[in-house]
Amino acid sequence: MTSPHTPPDLSAIQAFILDVDGVLTDGTLLALNSGEQARAFHIRDGYAVRHALRQGYRLAIISGREEEGVRKRLESLDVRDIFLGVDDKMKIFNNYINTYRLDPAHIAYMGDDMPDIEVMRRCAIAACPADAASDVAAISNYTAALPGGRGAVRELIEAVLKAQGKW
């Protein structure tokens, strides 16, 4: 589950920030005749997201792609901090932590590809799914046993909440 380095301390995490494609989904895009691009989300990841929110954790989504179906799925899970169509994830991250006065030492960020690296380096927990890009895996201090879109988010959230006695 974790890298061969010292396992990260999950007890201080108060917020989660997640990418979408390759993290909450397996990265597959289905190009429909309508022009929409459909994605599949894992129901257990959704349960963990909602559970974390109900336990009082902050949870934000920062994704480079803008799709209304993704927004609707996230809103159905009660996620309120949704940033889609983002070109500069670091700018959104800085605005988010300043708005809510969050300390990066209390944030777990899960990403899977190059646009996530800069933000991951700022957070206490730099997490990735098992199938993340090699450059992302190399800087992660928490690597899920499961791939993106197949329970990796659930694994991270569950590990944090269990470490804090909230699961």
Side-chain angles (χ1 to χ4, degrees):
M1 280 198 218
T2 59
S3 69
H5 310 292
T6 304
D9 179 10
L10 304 177
S11 65
I13 299 302
Q14 300 170 356
F16 299 93
I17 301 177
L18 309 170
D19 182 27
V20 174
D21 293 320
V23 173
L24 281 164
T25 75
D26 68 4
T28 300
L29 290 176
L30 301 175
L32 306 176
N33 288 337
S34 66
E36 291 180 273
Q37 295 180 347
R39 294 166 181 80
F41 290 83
H42 200 291
I43 198 76
R44 281 181 286 205
D45 287 338
Y47 173 81
V49 164
R50 183 177 276 160
H51 185 67
L53 289 166
R54 289 181 177 165
Q55 291 295 314
Y57 293 84
R58 287 216 159 273
L59 192 139
I61 304 298
I62 304 177
S63 177
R65 297 189 51 87
E66 172 77 55
E67 290 288 335
E68 192 57 28
V70 170
R71 182 177 303 282
K72 287 179 180 179
R73 170 62 180 150
L74 296 168
E75 288 173 349
S76 78
L77 297 173
D78 301 325
V79 177
R80 297 292 167 246
D81 297 309
I82 304 168
F83 306 96
L84 303 178
V86 172
D87 289 326
D88 185 347
K89 289 188 176 192
M90 197 66 203
K91 179 180 177 184
I92 297 298
F93 172 78
N94 286 326
N95 289 341
Y96 180 72
I97 65 171
N98 289 333
T99 297
Y100 293 109
R101 295 184 173 98
L102 298 172
D103 182 344
H106 301 291
I107 298 174
Y109 183 103
M110 183 173 268
D112 73 308
D113 212 344
M114 299 302 289
D116 301 305
I117 288 177
E118 188 177 6
V119 178
M120 291 174 74
R121 286 187 169 143
R122 289 275 321 274
C123 297
I125 305 298
C128 70
D131 59 344
S134 60
D135 289 333
V136 172
I139 64 130
S140 295
N141 58 3
Y142 182 98
T143 300
L146 296 169
R150 300 285 184 236
V153 169
R154 161 73 176 255
E155 187 179 325
L156 171 65
I157 291 174
E158 186 176 331
V160 168
L161 272 64
K162 280 183 176 179
Q164 297 177 17
K166 295 181 180 180
W167 187 264

